[in-house]
Amino acid sequence: MQRNWIGRSTGAYVDFMIEATGEEDAATGRPAETVRVFTSRPDTLFGATFFVVAADSPLAARLVTDEHRQRLQTCAAAARLVAEMDRLAASRPKTGVFLGRYAVNPVNGERLPVYASDYVLGDYGTGAITAVPADDQRDLDFARAMGLPVRVVIDTGEDDPAVTGVATTGAGRVVNSGLLDGMDVAAAQSAITAYLAGRGMGEAAVIYRLRDWLISRQRYWGTPIPMVHCDSCGLVPVPYEELPVTLPESGYSLRPGSGTAPLATATDWVEVNCPGCGGQARRDVDTMDTFVDSSWYFLRYPDPTYSGGPFDPESIKCWFPVDDYIGGKTHATGHLLYARFVTKFLHDIRMVPVTEPFVRLTNQGQVLMDGRAMSKSLGNLVNLQDQIAQFGPDAVRVTMLFASAPEDDIDWADVSATGSLKWLNRVTQLCEDIGPAPAEVPPGDLEVRRRAHRMVHEAGQLMERRRFNVAIARMMGLTSLLHRAADASSGVADAAVREGAESLAVMVSVVAPFTAEECWQLLGQPPSAVEAGWPTVDPGLLVEPVVTCVVQVSGKVRARLAVPADISAGDLEALALRAERVAAELAGVPPSRVIVKPPSLVSIVP
């Protein structure tokens, strides 16, 4: 989204002469003029069949003849009512107005009719384009709507766009283009750009869709702009030792009206001496856009008490960049873009050691109701406080985490906190039954301990990968395992069950902290479960003691063998060859090849 917003395009500027219109221009003294156009595909210039300018641009108003002016004004007024992204949408019907003028194509001298349309933006490039309908879908749609010709100049092997209504997109050779014929696209772009530059009709160029960032706001709540206006010295920065400039706490009007900024009404605050000459001056009464603050606020987090500057350089070295930023995708072309921009600036002036503020971005899903976003107007709101009052905060939290992966939406109509509450009650009951550890704890079942360690290990890995819903499923599995083990031992909590319960309480603290602290206390542990650290696992208990080995003959499964996890290749091959169905298929004839991948696969080629 940021790449599209920035809109970096590499291509060329091309100069088109707009012809004068005979008697009309003679009467007004308006001569022919040159309009510079940016194109990312200069190799297709021989395929241009018309010329388009933004309907709401000053250029269109200047080029239109009197005969077509009224229609242009109507078209421009309609264009101003449509958002830019909608204007650029490929699916939007194309409309436009002929301006009564013609542009001359510098590569072949052809006269191209000049149109105005809303699918061209006035502030992108130069607000004008040369249209090659065979190779651009929006140009093609406009050409078909206006009955304009389509000329193929890139032979891609695809069907004629004039017939199919689909612009060509593949690579190919240049055709119908004079000096460029037979070249590939890259060579043609270089050749035509050099041709234009050599004749003073264009040059290579890189353009962006980015615009200036207007940071000033006429409101009270914001960061004051630390500048002073002096009639003698002009604009003077507030001295460093007087920063930060703080907002006045009284003597102002929040809504002064007539377009006056609130701070302009704080006379005692506004009127100051000029830092330069000492004469009478006025503070700047605008405040900064809140995006200015959100572009660097995270740099304060490592040490919010630091007073030696905007942030502590040593803490930044320790903590940055941020491992995972969690936020909505609506931030992509706002806060997240500005945060990257400011971080790169701070890196350039050697204030931070990183060029990117965030390593990873997670766009969280939305909680819906009946398939739609919750809204007062739709009457489908779910009151969170009501849910918490009925089920408790832990059950509501677990329900949201267990319903789906963090990136996915959740429809609250499809879930219920009842199941989560039941599980948390089972965890609490387990820990209550186990209780504090006695002086002597009987040894536990090794298999229970082995399975518990595997579940803890898997839950930890899933947490690291943010698969919280699957990690909770492992915790639920561990709960059931421990309940069965406790029942099998006549309710006596042996070492394996107790160790598993302690691990479970710690893991539950990540998703249900209130329940976890209660369970931790029931187990006789000192506060707090959160401070206990993630449970450690014994690597030896993670190894499968027995695994299943698949034996194939000519690619077909002929046997499945239960073998030790650490079996050698030689022993595994011997076992596979002795398997009943394998031996019967080989019929006493030694195989030509045996591929052994212990402990899970043996492939035999007769």
Side-chain angles (χ1 to χ4, degrees), residues 300-488:
R300 287 289 295 179
Y301 281 9
D303 186 355
T305 64
Y306 183 71
S307 59
F311 45 81
D312 179 15
E314 293 305 313
S315 296
I316 294 296
K317 290 178 183 177
C318 173
W319 285 100
F320 268 72
V322 175
D323 295 303
D324 197 349
Y325 180 95
I326 301 173
K329 62 184 178 182
T330 54
H331 291 180
T333 55
H335 159 62
L336 288 171
L337 183 62
Y338 299 143
R340 295 184 65 206
F341 174 85
V342 170
T343 299
K344 291 177 185 297
F345 163 72
L346 293 173
H347 177 267
D348 287 348
I349 62 174
R350 300 183 180 180
M351 287 188 70
V352 298
V354 297
T355 59
E356 291 287 355
F358 317 120
V359 174
R360 183 171 63 182
L361 170 65
T362 298
N363 290 144
Q364 80 275 16
Q366 187 177 12
V367 181
L368 311 174
M369 187 63 183
D370 294 319
R372 306 173 74 175
M374 294 187 193
S375 167
K376 289 183 180 179
S377 61
L378 295 176
N380 64 344
L381 290 175
V382 176
N383 190 303
L384 177 61
Q385 294 304 319
D386 291 345
Q387 294 288 310
I388 291 175
Q390 182 178 358
F391 300 105
D394 278 359
V396 175
R397 184 184 294 108
V398 168
T399 301
M400 295 185 67
L401 291 172
F402 188 56
S404 71
E407 298 86 356
D408 299 333
D409 291 340
I410 300 171
D411 195 322
W412 200 253
D414 298 333
V415 300
S416 171
T418 303
S420 299
L421 181 59
K422 182 178 178 181
W423 169 59
L424 293 175
N425 287 338
R426 291 189 72 212
V427 174
T428 304
Q429 187 62 55
L430 173 70
C431 295
E432 186 176 357
D433 292 344
I434 294 172
E440 294 186 11
V441 179
D445 187 330
L446 179 60
E447 182 57 26
V448 170
R449 191 162 182 259
R450 191 189 306 278
R451 292 177 62 188
H453 275 243
R454 287 185 200 140
M455 290 182 182
V456 171
H457 176 66
E458 291 173 4
Q461 289 186 318
L462 290 163
M463 281 289 184
E464 287 292 336
R465 301 205 312 268
R466 296 174 299 175
R467 301 298 89 180
F468 307 128
N469 53 332
V470 189
I472 292 173
R474 295 293 184 274
M475 297 180 204
M476 292 177 174
L478 179 57
T479 305
S480 298
L481 170 70
L482 298 175
H483 267 291
R484 289 195 300 271
D487 292 342

Side-chain angles (χ1 to χ4, degrees), residues 133-138 140-141 144 150 152 156 158-169:
D135 293 279
D136 185 281
Q137 190 62 50
R138 287 179 299 171
L140 179 59
D141 293 341
R144 289 164 63 86
V150 178
V152 174
T156 63
E158 301 173 58
D159 294 333
D160 189 342
V163 177
T164 64
V166 179
T168 57
T169 57

Side-chain angles (χ1 to χ4, degrees), residues 1 34-35 43 84 97 195 205 207 225 232 278 342 381 388 405 437 453 461 482 524 549 555 594 599 604:
M1 292 174 69
T34 298
V35 173
D43 53 297
E84 287 188 2
V97 175
Y195 174 86
I207 68 169
I225 295 175
S232 299
V342 170
L381 290 175
I388 291 175
H453 275 243
Q461 289 186 318
L482 298 175
C549 175
V594 180
I604 301 171

